[in-house]
Each structure stands twice: as structure tokens, then as C-alpha cells.
Amino acid sequence: MAGPLLEYETEIFLSLFGSDGLLVVAEGMGLDRILLQFMRVYSEKDSLVLLLNTTTPEQEYFTEQLKMEGVTHLPRTVTSDVQSSERYSVYTEGGVLFVTSRILVVDFLLDRIPAHLISGRGTVADIVTLIFGVFISCSVSDLLHSGILVYRAHKIIESCQEAFILRLFRQKNKTGFIKAFTDKATAFSTGFCQVERVMRNLFVKKLFLWPRFQASVNTVLEKHKPEVVELHVSLTPAMRAIQSSILDVMSACLKELKRYNPTLEVEDLSLENTLGNAFEKTIRHYLDPLWHQLGAKTKALVHDLKVLRVLLLYLTQYDCVTFLNLLESLRSSQKIFSTNSGWLFLDSSTSMFVNARSRVYHIPENKKKLKVGAEEQKSSAAAEIKRELVLEKSPKWEALTEVLEEIEKENKSCEEPGRVLICASDDRTCAQLQQYIRHGSDWLLQRLYVRTIGKRDSSAAAALEVDLFKKGKAALKKGAKGKEPAQKKRATKTKSRPSLTLTQMMGKEEAEPVEMRSSDEDCLMEEEEEEQMKLDLSSDAYYGILKEPLTVIHPLKGCSDPHSLTRVLHEVEPSFVVLYDAELSFVRQLEVYKAMRPGKPLRVYFLIYGGSTEEQKYLTALSKEKKAFEHLIREKATMVIPEEREGREDTNLDLARNLEPANATTNSHKAGGQEQPKEPSRVIVDMREFRSELPSLLHRRGLDIEPVTLEVGDYILTPDTCVERKSVSDLIGSLQSGRLYSQCLSMTRYYRKPVLLIEFDPAKPFSLMARSDFRHEISSNDVSSKLTLLTLHFPRLRILWCPSPHATAELFLELKRGRAEPDAAAAQAITAESDTVAESAGLYNPGPYDFLLKMPGVNVKNYRALIKHADSLADIAKLSQDELAEILGNTNNAKLLFEFMHNVADVPAPVQKRKQT
């Protein structure tokens, strides 16, 4: 499926193969194909190459492609299923390995990875001959080194696990390579010197930029470009009016948001940027650190902008019934929750509702004048039933019909009919298109209306449903005589999709397909799955239409397998591709696909609403990527890269660690204060903590990290200091479940200085809750109340508040300064079932120890003195009141304890019930 590389792809491969660097290519231009060629080169036993930042579906796809190309030493995956004792042998066997970041960090720290062996040998000429089938003269001394390949390199920030892995690798190995790949140029357009910081974390000096407008790329793709038919579909007058109303409301909300928050960047809050997928990320970037300080009005405006963006999506993406159903749901939910900022009461909002209803139904004038009273409710209901259905068809449906008819006509005149691939935005759109092609627009829209808006009148809905059933049955019989109809393949997807509530729908990211489907709509889709057409395709996300010529529909986004569409494209090998929705990455993918098959025809029908937000969104995405590459080109020209950036020498300061032990002190009585041998400062870290950023930051500050499995605590700083780290969300969950109480009990029992660390996200407000949420009285549901009760119950527990992992790392250094180092074996030996309690004076049984603290007159200030003078509770009972007063240092406490131990309590005898005769 991968096939030979194109000319510009060969150039990209050779440039990155010759030296370490960061490769940034335009979206859809074959980044996976280039990475696959690197994997093919290094899939040898003599090499050891680690591939970072890939998902499980991507790993399966890469392995499958290499297997199809005949690679024998296939990549292997190292997960927690592989025992730690077996992993060293897996590493020494070589080849390409997919390893989870947490396991890789731990194995590097414990020296389970033979980092010094990560350097295989082979000439560049051999590799070039292997890939391209040609011989390029090359010095035998040019050796192929193995190392690390980094996927999605734009995500490599200083504190992430992958950056920690690269730093550990370069500290242990100075010759292995590091090559990074990404196709997200826009990720480098925000922030100061973002690309330079990423390159610094990657330890690479060279930046390779390959935009779509690069000369060699343009030459190859223009030479074999597909035939493109652009169909600019016009919005209906009602759709155009609704779009205008939504944009007016969004503009009003933006104006209000700027008025309430003058510090927000005006450029980022433009109406054009509001349409893009990155808008919500931008808003969160500005407002999350101040969220607890914002008023209810600002929060409502942010929520409303999110709702309005979903409305814009639904307007062009789905049918008139689905859009109106969403709009009516919004109105009813706003009445219940009162979360609206006021946009529902604007004139534009009223116009939106009027036009949305006019697309679905029409109420005659005489019915509109009916008065709703106590005696006329039945007449009102009759008027509701007698709505005249309009059910406006989607303009794109009609355009799609014309395209399919044109393809059918052309196929009839050809000896070998061409296959057809229809691509729509998400799974829901694909399902609707399949129903439309099979049954027609009238059947589909009436069915949707009956199941949603028309459901209020059961009698009218039932009559219409019977009529639809008859029409649908007739359509099926008609289809059986002619073309063979097909159902969506669901061999692995037999369960119905759960319907989403309005709140859940609004919480989904815009980058993902947004679905809000009722259970009735699910039933509608399930009824169409009774007869399934089995096609020999690897993807399970397609919808089959015809077998001859093969016609399938496939979603552009939302598939569990990100390469699902790529698989179908190469398996179906269509001659006609219909882009029902525009998606930049797949458009480029089609260009590459055509260039790989220069002699075979490919016609692409591009359907887009002219003058719509859909078109503007696509053009904005193109413009942003172009500007991002131009920005990177300018930055590359002015970038100053130090010679030691790659870390192959010991002069790179990023690899240097602050090796001064935290327990270092100068004693002038020992050899006049001369330097003494110092024990390296270390922290014992629980294995599960390597999912967080903190271990990386501690290592960067010179602390040795010892990963072990701890049952009590997350970090052991000193023999006496145990730290339990909690994020805010984890803290709330632990308080509600009671798990935090058990954790604090274990820490206070086995360590003299138990610490609860509450660590905040640096992008979020440094506040546990808003000031307005604090209560004057203790409540069982209040987080602050539960924390207060926790500190009262565990007086020795110390709570530390840190605004970020960086602040936590600095605090740990201070807590360790001048103190003894912890012992990993001792920390690992402590379990929740241990029968001893660690104290400075010795070891105590936890049962009597806890009981003693509950006795009257005994507290955390005097219990140690009592333990020194009594070996057991029986010994305490032998002490006189004066002796207790001398030990406890307080006569009142001594009296309370003595009376508790010696006074006899009068307990009434149980009353015996007499049996009735």
C-alpha cells in the first residue's frame, strides 16, 4: 500500500537520513510514508530503534504495512504485559520497538536498556540500494547509526515524558541519532520561539521544512494532478438567513466578551477566528488561569459561543429536521438551567427560530389565529397536528444525486466501470447519506420528523409512520429488482450508539465530530442493518451502497483507526471520489494518491456551500497553514543554533544536572572545611508517578530517581518524609471515595512527617474553588470542609500547595536540604499490612498505638513521653495519678487518664423480656 516514494519524498528521506533534525511537512503529504521507510531501514537485528509517541492503531498500521512489504524482523511492542526481567532481552534482539513512555523512562533509569549498544552498522549505499533500487557511491566509513524516532514532534515540551527519555538517552549515548517528524506546522505559530524550544528538547540542530508550495513538491503533484470538479452549492434563502442570524449573535457575544475582559487579544477574538477549530483552545489559554475570578456573565458568554459554533456546524452538516430539533432542545434546556447569557432574546435569535421552523413545517394563517384557552386546548392540539410539512431538502443532497447520475452515465459507456468513494465529515453524515441514496429525501426527512419533532402527536406520527413503512418496503423491492442495495457493514459494531445529552454534546471538542442522536434515530439506523453487504475491506467504518461498480461511503474523521480511510482508499482504488465535506488533509492525500498512480484516471468532485461558514473555515485552515510555514521559514533564517545542541559532547548545558546534593553541608571541624565525599541526592518514586511531569523535572534538577513500587506514598524524600501527590481532580475524587483517609492513615502510621501535596495545573487557576463557593458551615459535600476534617483527624499531616510541577520540584529540593537520604528497600518493605510503626525511639504495634491516642488526656504532644515510661497498656494502669502528672506534664490530663483507667462505669443490666402466655 505504501508503494515507492515520490521524487520529493525521496529528497525528504535522504535529507533527514543524512543528519539528525526536525521534519515539518504539510498535512496529508505523506509523513507516514516517510516514517515507514525509516522503519523499513531499521527493521534489522543489528539496529535498535525506539519509536516514540505512537498510538496502538498506528502501531498496528505500521506493522501491517511492513509485513506487506516483506519485512521479516517486524516491530514489536513493549507494554506492561512484558515482564521487567524479559525486557532487556527484547532490547538486545534489536529492530524497531514501540515502547510506552512510562516503561521507557523506568528502564532507562534502571539501566535495562543497553543504551551503549544502540548503534548498528551498515553503509548508506546499502540502505539507498535497498529502498530505491539504485546504487549511489558512498564512503564505507559512512555508518548507519540507530537511535530514536519521534512522532508528533510538535508535542515535545520540556516537562513531557518523551523529552525526559531523549535527555536520558543522550546522557548515556553520544552517537545514536534522533529524528523527529510532524505535520502540524500551525502548532509552532503560537508562543515565543516555539520551534526553537522544541528543537532544544529534541537535541537536534537542523530544521527541514516542506510546505505544499515548495517547488519540488509542487512540480511532482502538478505533473500528475487529478481532475477536479468544484461544485459550489448555494444555500437556500432560509439557510442563508439562519447563518446570518447565528453570525450576528456570535458577533454580539464577542463584543460583550471583549467589554467584560479588555485584556483579551482583539485579533484572536475576531469573527473569522471564531469559526476555526483552535478557537476554544485560544479562549481556554487566556481564561483558564483566571476562571475562578471571572463573573457568571463571562462564563455564560464562553459557553454560548461554544453552542453557537455547534449550531453553525449543524446548519451545513445535517438536515433541516436535525437542526430544528437541536434548536428546540437548546431553548428548552435554557429554560430549565437558565445558563443563557441573553442571546435567545435577541431579534437575530427570533429570526433564527422562525427560519428554522419554516424549513420543516408551515402553519396556515387560520390556524395561527387560534387562541389557546382552557376550552380551546383541543383545537390548539388539532392545529399542531395539521401542520403542513415543508421538509426542505439539503442542497448538497441534490448535488450529490446529480454527481452520482453523471458517474453512472459515464460508467455505462466504459468497458470497466470505475469505483466510487464518497467521503463525508463524520459517521452520522455517512449514515444519513446512505439512507438518502437508498430511500430518497422525502422518506428520510419524514422519518426523522416522526421520530423527533412530530413525536408529540402520537396518532399523526403513527399514521405517517405506517405510510413511510409502505413506501420504504416498496423502495426495497424496487431496489432488489435493479441494483443490489447495501447496508452498512457492522460485523464488529452491532451495538447501538448511546444518545448524548445536550450537556455532553456541548462538552465535546470541535475537532471531533459532534453527535446528538436520539434513541429513535438509533432505531432508524439499526433497522437498516438487517441485510448487510459484506465487502472485503479492512476498515469497519464504511457504508456500502453498491457492489457493482463498488460504491462506498466513509467518514473523514471520528474513526477509531486513524488510517481507516487510507486503507479503504488503497483497497477500493476508486476512479471517482466525491468529497461531500471539505477536509484539507484528505485533499492532499488524494493528490499524493494520484501521483502514485500516474496512468490511472481519478476525478474528484468537491462539494462545498458557496459563501458559507463551511467554505470560510476551509479557506482559513489553508491560510493558517501557509502563514505558519512562512513564519517557520523566517524563523529558520534568523535562528541561532549552538554547535553543542545535539549533545554529542559534554558541553551541552541542557544535559548538565545540578549534581550538588541537597543534603550537602560544610563542616569546618572536618579537615578545615575541605570537600568530603558526598552521597548523591535521590528521591524514591512510585512507578505509577511516571505518568506525570514531576520525575522528569526532579531529574533535571540533579536528583537521582529510584523507581520502585510503593504501597504507602508516592515520593519518599527522606527516611522520615513521605509525600502523597494529588492533582485537584484526584483530590476531590479521593475525598469523596474515602481513599485519601486510608492513604493519610498509612502515612502517619509509618512516617514521622507525612505530607499531602496538592499540585495544580499551571494553565488553571491556583485556587481550589471560587471564593463565592466557600461556606460558613461544615458540609459533607464541601471539599474545604473535608480537608478541614482531614487535618483535624491527622494533626501531624502537612498540606503543601504548589501552583505547578516546576514549583513542586523546587520545594522538594528545599525539603531535602541537609537531611538524610531515603532507602529504597526500606520504603518498598512498608505496606498497608505492616505490623510495626516507625518512630524515632523504636517500633510500636499499631493497634495499641492507635488506641492510646484515643484515650482521654493523651494527645500528639505527650504520647511519646508516655510510651517511654510504659511498655504496654497494662503498665499505664499501674501508674499513680501523680506519676502520670509528672510524665504528661499536666495534672488535668493525668486526672482524665487515671479516672478513665480506674473508675468503674455503672452499666445498667439488660432488661429481659417476659414471654407472654
Side-chain angles (χ1 to χ4, degrees):
M1 188 184 296
L5 295 182
L6 299 174
E7 293 174 15
Y8 75 87
E9 291 174 330
T10 303
E11 193 176 343
I12 292 174
F13 176 85
L14 290 176
S15 60
L16 187 59
F17 180 80
S19 60
D20 292 5
L22 168 61
L23 171 65
V24 184
V25 302
E27 275 194 84
M29 277 181 46
L31 181 67
D32 294 341
R33 288 161 48 79
I34 297 166
L35 178 60
L36 266 170
Q37 292 299 341
F38 276 99
M39 293 176 65
R40 182 185 174 192
V41 169
Y42 300 129
S43 292
E44 300 290 341
K45 291 184 178 181
D46 294 334
S47 301
L48 174 55
V49 175
L50 307 173
L51 180 53
L52 307 182
N53 250 4
T54 55
T55 63
T56 301
E58 289 168 343
Q59 294 167 10
E60 293 173 353
Y61 172 77
F62 291 143
T63 305
E64 176 188 322
Q65 295 303 304
L66 292 173
K67 188 176 182 180
M68 290 171 60
E69 292 184 14
V71 175
T72 55
H73 197 70
L74 293 173
R76 285 165 297 166
T77 303
V78 179
T79 62
S80 55
D81 296 333
V82 181
Q83 298 297 324
S84 57
S85 57
E86 302 173 8
R87 292 206 286 266
Y88 184 87
S89 60
V90 173
Y91 295 133
T92 53
E93 288 176 8
V96 178
L97 297 179
F98 303 111
V99 191
T100 61
S101 298
R102 184 178 68 86
I103 289 177
L104 206 50
V105 167
V106 172
D107 287 352
F108 263 121
L109 290 171
L110 296 178
D111 290 325
R112 288 181 185 149
I113 300 179
H116 62 286
L117 297 178
I118 305 184
S119 57
R121 294 183 179 271
T123 67
V124 176
D126 292 340
I127 301 304
V128 173
T129 303
L130 173 66
I131 297 175
F132 308 110
V134 295
F135 182 85
I136 300 177
S137 61
C138 174
S139 172
V140 179
S141 62
D142 292 332
L143 299 178
L144 170 67
H145 296 284
S146 302
I148 295 181
L149 302 173
V150 185
Y151 199 50
R152 293 190 181 87
H154 59 280
K155 293 187 175 182
I156 306 301
I157 59 174
E158 179 188 3
S159 56
C160 73
Q161 291 284 19
E162 289 73 24
F164 190 16
I165 291 168
L166 293 169
R167 192 163 68 248
L168 289 171
F169 169 72
R170 191 50 87 201
Q171 286 172 349
K172 296 172 181 287
N173 186 304
K174 302 296 184 182
T175 59
F177 66 74
I178 297 175
K179 303 182 190 298
F181 308 80
T182 183
D183 59 357
K184 304 294 182 186
T186 52
F188 300 106
S189 58
T190 57
F192 179 71
C193 295
Q194 180 68 14
V195 68
E196 188 174 352
R197 283 187 289 174
V198 170
M199 291 173 66
R200 181 177 178 179
N201 296 327
L202 291 168
F203 297 99
V204 297
K205 292 194 299 184
K206 294 188 177 181
L207 176 62
F208 302 98
L209 301 176
W210 287 84
R212 173 61 180 83
F213 55 82
Q214 209 269 356
S216 55
V217 175
N218 200 50
T219 301
V220 173
L221 297 184
E222 288 295 321
K223 185 178 178 181
H224 305 289
K225 62 181 180 180
E227 178 188 353
V228 179
V229 179
E230 292 188 15
L231 298 175
H232 289 267
V233 184
S234 299
L235 294 170
T236 65
M239 291 177 69
R240 194 172 296 280
I242 293 171
Q243 177 180 274
S244 179
S245 298
I246 296 175
L247 292 176
D248 287 344
V249 175
M250 291 181 73
S251 181
C253 289
L254 285 172
K255 187 176 180 182
E256 284 291 292
L257 191 61
K258 293 173 187 176
R259 187 166 69 88
Y260 280 94
N261 303 274
T263 57
L264 292 177
E265 291 288 339
V266 177
E267 183 180 350
D268 291 331
L269 288 182
S270 65
L271 192 59
E272 180 182 350
N273 286 334
T274 309
L275 304 177
N277 291 333
F279 175 72
E280 287 180 19
K281 184 178 179 181
T282 303
I283 284 289
R284 287 198 301 269
H285 172 73
Y286 283 119
L287 297 183
D288 271 358
L290 310 170
W291 193 256
H292 64 299
Q293 300 175 2
L294 299 176
K297 184 73 173 179
T298 298
K299 293 180 180 179
L301 286 168
V302 173
H303 177 265
D304 288 343
L305 283 170
K306 193 172 184 179
V307 171
L308 291 165
R309 280 161 49 83
V310 173
L311 282 175
L312 271 179
L313 174 69
Y314 267 58
L315 177 64
T316 55
Q317 193 67 49
Y318 303 118
D319 57 274
C320 60
V321 178
T322 303
F323 179 79
L324 180 59
N325 188 42
L326 171 62
L327 208 53
E328 297 289 3
S329 301
L330 282 173
R331 170 164 283 184
S332 60
S333 66
Q334 298 295 349
K335 288 179 180 178
I336 296 172
F337 300 110
S338 302
T339 57
N340 179 256
S341 62
W343 69 268
L344 278 173
F345 308 106
L346 296 176
D347 293 339
S348 297
S349 176
T350 304
S351 173
M352 186 196 315
F353 276 90
V354 170
N355 284 290
R357 288 168 182 156
S358 70
R359 297 177 65 205
V360 179
Y361 57 79
H362 171 67
I363 300 178
E365 289 297 326
N366 59 333
K367 299 297 182 184
K368 291 181 182 178
K369 296 178 181 178
L370 286 173
K371 296 180 180 179
V372 180
E375 299 177 356
E376 297 177 345
Q377 287 183 356
K378 294 182 180 180
S379 301
S380 176
E384 189 72 21
I385 293 170
K386 293 180 181 179
R387 289 171 175 168
E388 295 179 0
L389 293 184
V390 177
L391 299 179
E392 179 182 88
K393 301 176 182 63
S394 172
K396 272 193 180 182
W397 288 357
E398 298 175 0
L400 178 61
T401 301
E402 294 175 5
V403 168
L404 293 179
E405 288 175 353
E406 180 181 322
I407 293 173
E408 184 180 7
K409 189 181 297 183
E410 187 162 332
N411 275 336
K412 286 181 179 178
S413 61
C414 298
E415 294 182 5
E416 186 178 348
R419 296 178 173 184
V420 183
L421 174 63
I422 304 172
C423 297
S425 178
D426 53 32
D427 187 75
R428 182 176 185 175
T429 308
C430 292
Q432 279 199 355
L433 290 180
Q434 188 203 35
Q435 304 307 316
Y436 164 72
I437 294 172
R438 186 178 182 193
H439 297 292
S441 59
D442 292 338
W443 184 92
L444 176 59
L445 291 173
Q446 287 177 5
R447 184 74 163 172
L448 287 171
Y449 179 82
V450 168
R451 295 291 189 176
T452 54
I453 301 168
K455 201 173 182 179
R456 290 190 293 262
D457 179 35
S458 57
S459 60
L464 187 55
E465 191 164 1
V466 171
D467 182 52
L468 289 173
F469 175 76
K470 292 178 180 178
K471 290 181 180 178
K473 197 171 181 181
L476 282 173
K477 289 181 178 178
K478 184 179 179 181
K481 293 178 182 178
K483 305 172 186 177
E484 181 179 352
Q487 304 299 328
K488 181 178 179 183
K489 178 184 176 185
R490 276 293 179 264
T492 59
K493 297 185 180 179
T494 56
K495 297 190 292 184
S496 62
R497 298 175 184 79
S499 57
L500 296 180
T501 63
L502 184 66
T503 306
Q504 289 171 325
M505 183 197 67
M506 295 309 170
K508 296 177 82 68
E509 289 291 334
E510 273 298 303
E512 301 174 357
V514 184
E515 288 194 15
M516 188 183 74
R517 180 181 296 163
S518 67
S519 58
D520 297 310
E521 289 181 75
D522 282 325
C523 294
L524 172 64
M525 300 310 170
E526 285 175 13
E527 288 172 6
E528 300 302 323
E529 295 177 8
E530 295 174 359
E531 300 175 6
Q532 296 185 5
M533 180 177 72
K534 303 293 184 181
L535 300 177
D536 188 19
L537 297 180
S538 57
S539 171
D540 62 354
Y542 69 85
Y543 291 76
I545 302 297
L546 294 174
K547 280 189 175 178
E548 291 297 335
L550 183 60
T551 304
V552 296
I553 309 176
H554 199 285
L556 291 165
K557 297 179 291 186
C559 300
S560 57
D561 179 7
H563 295 91
S564 175
L565 183 56
T566 304
R567 295 174 194 267
V568 170
L569 178 64
H570 289 272
E571 289 171 3
V572 174
E573 294 187 339
S575 300
F576 305 95
V577 176
V578 182
L579 289 177
Y580 187 84
D581 294 305
E583 210 271 321
L584 178 60
S585 177
F586 188 63
V587 171
R588 300 256 179 79
Q589 195 173 340
L590 287 174
E591 288 186 291
V592 175
Y593 171 75
K594 178 62 176 71
M596 291 167 55
R597 305 161 74 250
K600 298 182 180 180
L602 176 64
R603 183 185 301 167
V604 180
Y605 292 91
F606 200 100
L607 276 61
I608 196 164
Y609 284 113
S612 68
T613 54
E614 179 194 29
E615 181 183 36
Q616 184 60 46
K617 189 176 179 180
Y618 179 76
L619 295 175
T620 300
L622 275 173
S623 174
K624 282 193 172 182
E625 189 190 64
K626 183 174 181 291
K627 290 179 181 178
F629 269 110
E630 290 172 348
H631 169 74
L632 287 173
I633 292 169
R634 289 193 299 269
E635 194 163 347
K636 180 181 179 179
T638 58
M639 196 182 298
V640 179
I641 304 294
E643 189 63 31
E644 65 276 7
R645 168 60 58 81
E646 293 186 354
R648 299 184 185 276
E649 306 293 337
D650 295 328
T651 54
N652 189 329
L653 296 179
D654 290 326
L655 294 175
R657 298 171 61 203
N658 178 19
L659 296 177
E660 166 132 7
N663 60 357
T665 54
T666 301
N667 191 339
S668 59
H669 296 284
K670 293 183 179 181
Q674 295 178 12
E675 289 290 331
Q676 303 294 322
K678 299 172 183 177
E679 182 183 7
S681 195
R682 63 179 177 272
V683 176
I684 299 168
V685 183
D686 183 48
M687 290 284 194
R688 289 159 294 210
E689 279 297 301
F690 284 94
R691 296 185 180 93
S692 68
E693 302 175 4
L694 188 54
S696 170
L697 298 175
L698 292 173
H699 185 269
R700 185 71 178 265
R701 282 161 176 75
L703 294 174
D704 284 348
I705 305 298
E706 289 194 35
V708 298
T709 301
L710 298 175
E711 287 196 26
V712 178
D714 293 328
Y715 297 84
I716 310 299
L717 304 184
T718 70
D720 296 332
T721 307
C722 174
V723 179
E724 180 71 30
R725 188 188 69 89
K726 297 287 183 186
S727 63
V728 175
S729 59
D730 192 18
L731 172 71
I732 295 172
S734 300
L735 285 171
Q736 291 175 346
S737 65
R739 185 163 54 94
L740 185 57
Y741 175 86
S742 303
Q743 291 170 333
C744 291
L745 180 64
S746 298
M747 285 196 299
T748 53
R749 175 172 290 177
Y750 302 113
Y751 291 94
R752 291 183 59 197
K753 298 176 182 178
V755 177
L756 173 61
L757 170 68
I758 302 175
E759 190 176 86
F760 288 76
D761 187 338
K764 298 292 178 67
F766 185 44
S767 173
L768 191 61
M769 60 181 65
R771 190 173 299 175
S772 58
D773 294 337
F774 280 102
R775 302 182 181 181
H776 297 291
E777 297 179 358
I778 289 180
S779 170
S780 60
N781 296 324
D782 188 48
V783 176
S784 59
S785 298
K786 289 181 179 180
L787 274 179
T788 303
L789 292 173
L790 192 72
T791 54
L792 289 173
H793 196 85
F794 301 104
R796 287 193 293 117
L797 180 68
R798 296 293 178 262
I799 300 181
L800 302 179
W801 306 80
C802 288
S804 69
H806 291 270
T808 303
E810 294 294 337
L811 186 60
F812 277 14
L813 285 173
E814 292 298 323
L815 292 174
K816 285 183 62 62
R817 197 171 299 281
R819 293 174 174 82
E821 296 300 329
D823 180 39
Q828 199 170 9
I830 296 176
T831 65
E833 289 76 27
S834 297
D835 57 355
T836 58
V837 176
E839 283 293 335
S840 59
L843 301 174
Y844 300 97
N845 195 329
Y849 174 85
D850 292 339
F851 180 77
L852 179 64
L853 285 171
K854 298 293 189 295
M855 297 174 70
V858 182
N859 54 48
V860 292
K861 295 181 179 180
N862 58 27
Y863 78 97
R864 286 191 179 88
L866 192 60
I867 289 174
K868 289 179 181 179
H869 291 81
D871 293 333
S872 65
L873 292 174
D875 292 342
I876 295 176
K878 296 176 183 178
L879 297 173
S880 66
Q881 185 171 341
D882 293 337
E883 289 175 326
L884 287 173
E886 184 178 352
I887 293 171
L888 299 177
N890 186 293
T891 56
N892 291 331
N893 289 336
K895 182 180 179 182
L896 289 172
L897 181 59
F898 185 81
E899 291 179 351
F900 174 77
M901 297 289 293
H902 296 280
N903 287 0
V904 178
D906 295 330
V907 180
V911 179
Q912 296 182 353
K913 294 183 180 180
R914 295 181 180 180
K915 294 183 179 180
Q916 296 180 354
T917 57

